[in-house]
Amino acid sequence: MSDQKKVIVALDKPTADLALSLAKTLDPALCRVKVGKELFTSAGPVIVEALQKNGFDVFLDLKFHDIPNTVASAVRVAANLGVWMVDVHAVGGERMMAAAYDAAHSGTSRAPLLIAVTVLTSMEQSELADVGVTHPIDKQVELLATLAKKSGCDGVVCSPLEASMLNTTLPGFIKVTPGIRLAGDDASDQRRVMTPVKAVEGGADYLVIGRSVTGAPDPVATLKQISLDLQKL
Ligand code: C5P
């Protein structure tokens, strides 16, 4: 059965206090939370522990990309923190992802879900070409997702535009999709975007939502409405 708690709220805040006061307004029965680079750099592992004490599953979104030994060591620390999900960049390659998988499963606590970032949702075709990737975006996502699966990862981060394609080519592989915007929202730096309902209809398993919830006039009501809309599917 698919997980009914599909929304992961990105707590992209500069301090632990701001992140915790936002999290305390959210219901851990309705969402999970994501700690990314800004918050983790500012607040460190204690913010993960504080969120867990408040009942939240935590996605530690540090997108590790380094040599296999370094990534494995970082993933081992994340696993020992008890995070629910952790991610690496798939372009780090098979050996790096396989080492991350072994590290995720080496601890005594429950292994976190290991997710590989394919092509950032902020990137468009011309920017991929700038970094030497000439495949169409969906082919690049498929290539990296196939490699991630072969390496032992549990799933990928992709845009909602590629989720249905991956449902066909890699059924059962978890698809986490940022690039979520409510109708009428500003896409800002994101490029490959979709609404929550359309993303789940297209095959996304989890939706990472930042500014559309945290920047809304009433984040709590916005999250409730998204949850209600998704329950109707
Ligand atoms: O505010 P917004 O909804 O655009 O935030 C998206 C969040 O998802 C940010 O925290 C960003 O770092 C993260 N993310 C992303 N693209 C990925 C992986 C994570 O936008 N490929």
Side-chain angles (χ1 to χ4, degrees), residues 141 158-170 173 175-177 194 198-200 202-205:
V141 169
C158 60
S159 97
L161 279 72
E162 293 106 33
S164 68
M165 178 260 299
L166 291 182
N167 257 353
T168 311
T169 51
L170 298 173
F173 206 39
K175 288 157 297 293
V176 180
T177 64
M194 212 179 261
K198 286 217 178 309
V200 171
D205 297 291

Coordinates of all heavy atoms in Angstrom, one line a residue, residues 141 158-170 173 175-177 194 198-200 202-205:
V141 N 17.6 11.7 -16.7 CA 17.0 11.2 -15.5 C 16.9 9.7 -15.5 O 17.2 9.0 -14.5 CB 15.6 11.9 -15.3 CG1 14.8 11.3 -14.2 CG2 15.8 13.4 -15.1
C158 N 13.5 13.4 -8.5 CA 13.3 13.8 -9.9 C 12.3 14.9 -10.0 O 11.6 15.2 -9.0 CB 12.9 12.6 -10.8 SG 11.4 11.9 -10.4
S159 N 12.0 15.4 -11.2 CA 10.9 16.4 -11.2 C 9.6 15.6 -11.5 O 9.6 14.5 -12.0 CB 11.1 17.4 -12.4 OG 10.4 17.0 -13.5
P160 N 8.5 16.2 -11.1 CA 7.2 15.5 -11.3 C 7.0 15.2 -12.8 O 6.2 14.3 -13.1 CB 6.2 16.5 -10.8 CG 6.8 17.8 -10.4 CD 8.3 17.5 -10.4
L161 N 7.7 16.0 -13.7 CA 7.5 15.7 -15.1 C 8.0 14.4 -15.5 O 7.7 13.9 -16.6 CB 8.1 16.8 -16.0 CG 7.4 18.1 -16.1 CD1 7.3 19.0 -14.9 CD2 8.0 19.0 -17.2
E162 N 9.0 13.9 -14.7 CA 9.6 12.6 -15.2 C 9.0 11.4 -14.4 O 9.4 10.2 -14.7 CB 11.1 12.6 -14.9 CG 11.8 13.6 -15.8 CD 12.3 14.9 -15.1 OE1 12.6 14.8 -13.9 OE2 12.3 15.9 -15.8
A163 N 8.2 11.6 -13.4 CA 7.7 10.6 -12.5 C 7.0 9.5 -13.2 O 7.2 8.3 -13.0 CB 6.9 11.1 -11.4
S164 N 6.1 9.8 -14.2 CA 5.3 8.8 -14.8 C 6.2 7.9 -15.7 O 6.1 6.7 -15.8 CB 4.1 9.4 -15.6 OG 4.6 10.1 -16.7
M165 N 7.2 8.5 -16.4 CA 8.1 7.8 -17.2 C 8.9 6.8 -16.3 O 9.0 5.6 -16.7 CB 9.1 8.8 -17.9 CG 10.2 8.2 -18.7 SD 11.8 8.1 -17.9 CE 12.2 9.7 -17.5
L166 N 9.3 7.2 -15.1 CA 10.0 6.2 -14.3 C 9.1 5.2 -13.7 O 9.6 4.1 -13.4 CB 10.7 7.0 -13.1 CG 11.9 7.9 -13.5 CD1 12.5 8.6 -12.3 CD2 12.9 7.1 -14.3
N167 N 7.8 5.5 -13.6 CA 6.9 4.5 -13.1 C 6.8 3.3 -14.1 O 6.7 2.2 -13.7 CB 5.5 5.1 -13.0 CG 5.1 5.3 -11.6 OD1 5.8 5.0 -10.7 ND2 3.9 6.0 -11.5
T168 N 7.0 3.6 -15.4 CA 7.0 2.6 -16.4 C 8.3 1.8 -16.4 O 8.4 0.6 -16.4 CB 6.7 3.2 -17.8 OG1 5.6 4.1 -17.6 CG2 6.5 2.2 -18.8
T169 N 9.4 2.6 -16.4 CA 10.7 1.9 -16.6 C 11.2 1.3 -15.3 O 11.9 0.3 -15.4 CB 11.8 2.9 -17.1 OG1 11.8 4.1 -16.3 CG2 11.5 3.3 -18.6
L170 N 10.9 1.9 -14.2 CA 11.4 1.4 -12.9 C 10.3 1.3 -11.9 O 10.2 2.0 -10.9 CB 12.5 2.3 -12.3 CG 13.8 2.5 -13.1 CD1 14.7 3.5 -12.5 CD2 14.6 1.1 -13.2
F173 N 10.1 1.8 -7.7 CA 11.2 2.6 -7.3 C 10.7 3.9 -6.7 O 9.8 4.6 -7.4 CB 12.2 2.9 -8.4 CG 13.6 3.1 -8.1 CD1 14.2 2.4 -7.1 CD2 14.3 4.1 -8.8 CE1 15.6 2.7 -6.8 CE2 15.7 4.3 -8.5 CZ 16.3 3.6 -7.5
K175 N 9.9 7.7 -6.0 CA 10.1 9.0 -6.7 C 9.7 10.1 -5.7 O 8.6 10.3 -5.4 CB 9.3 9.0 -8.0 CG 9.8 8.1 -9.0 CD 8.8 7.7 -10.0 CE 7.6 6.9 -9.5 NZ 7.9 5.6 -9.0
V176 N 10.7 10.9 -5.4 CA 10.5 12.1 -4.5 C 10.6 13.3 -5.5 O 11.6 13.4 -6.2 CB 11.7 12.2 -3.5 CG1 11.5 13.4 -2.6 CG2 11.7 10.9 -2.6
T177 N 9.6 14.1 -5.4 CA 9.6 15.2 -6.4 C 9.5 16.6 -5.7 O 8.4 16.9 -5.2 CB 8.4 15.1 -7.4 OG1 7.2 15.2 -6.7 CG2 8.5 13.8 -8.1
M194 N 5.1 21.4 -11.0 CA 3.7 20.8 -11.2 C 3.0 21.0 -9.9 O 3.6 21.2 -8.8 CB 3.9 19.3 -11.5 CG 2.8 18.7 -12.3 SD 3.1 17.0 -12.6 CE 3.8 17.0 -14.2
K198 N -1.4 16.9 -9.5 CA -0.9 16.4 -10.7 C 0.3 15.6 -10.6 O 0.5 14.6 -11.3 CB -0.7 17.6 -11.7 CG -2.0 18.2 -12.2 CD -1.8 18.6 -13.7 CE -3.1 19.2 -14.3 NZ -4.2 18.4 -14.1
A199 N 1.2 16.0 -9.6 CA 2.4 15.2 -9.4 C 2.1 13.8 -8.9 O 2.7 12.8 -9.3 CB 3.3 16.0 -8.4
V200 N 1.2 13.7 -7.9 CA 0.8 12.4 -7.4 C 0.1 11.6 -8.5 O 0.4 10.4 -8.6 CB 0.0 12.5 -6.1 CG1 -0.5 11.1 -5.7 CG2 0.9 13.1 -5.0
G202 N 0.6 11.7 -11.5 CA 1.7 11.3 -12.4 C 2.6 10.3 -11.9 O 3.5 9.8 -12.6
G203 N 2.5 9.9 -10.6 CA 3.3 8.8 -10.1 C 4.3 9.2 -9.0 O 5.1 8.4 -8.6
A204 N 4.3 10.5 -8.5 CA 5.2 10.8 -7.4 C 4.8 10.1 -6.1 O 3.6 10.0 -5.8 CB 5.2 12.3 -7.2
D205 N 5.8 9.6 -5.4 CA 5.5 9.0 -4.1 C 5.5 10.0 -3.0 O 4.7 9.9 -2.0 CB 6.5 7.8 -3.8 CG 6.4 6.7 -4.9 OD1 5.4 6.0 -4.9 OD2 7.3 6.6 -5.7

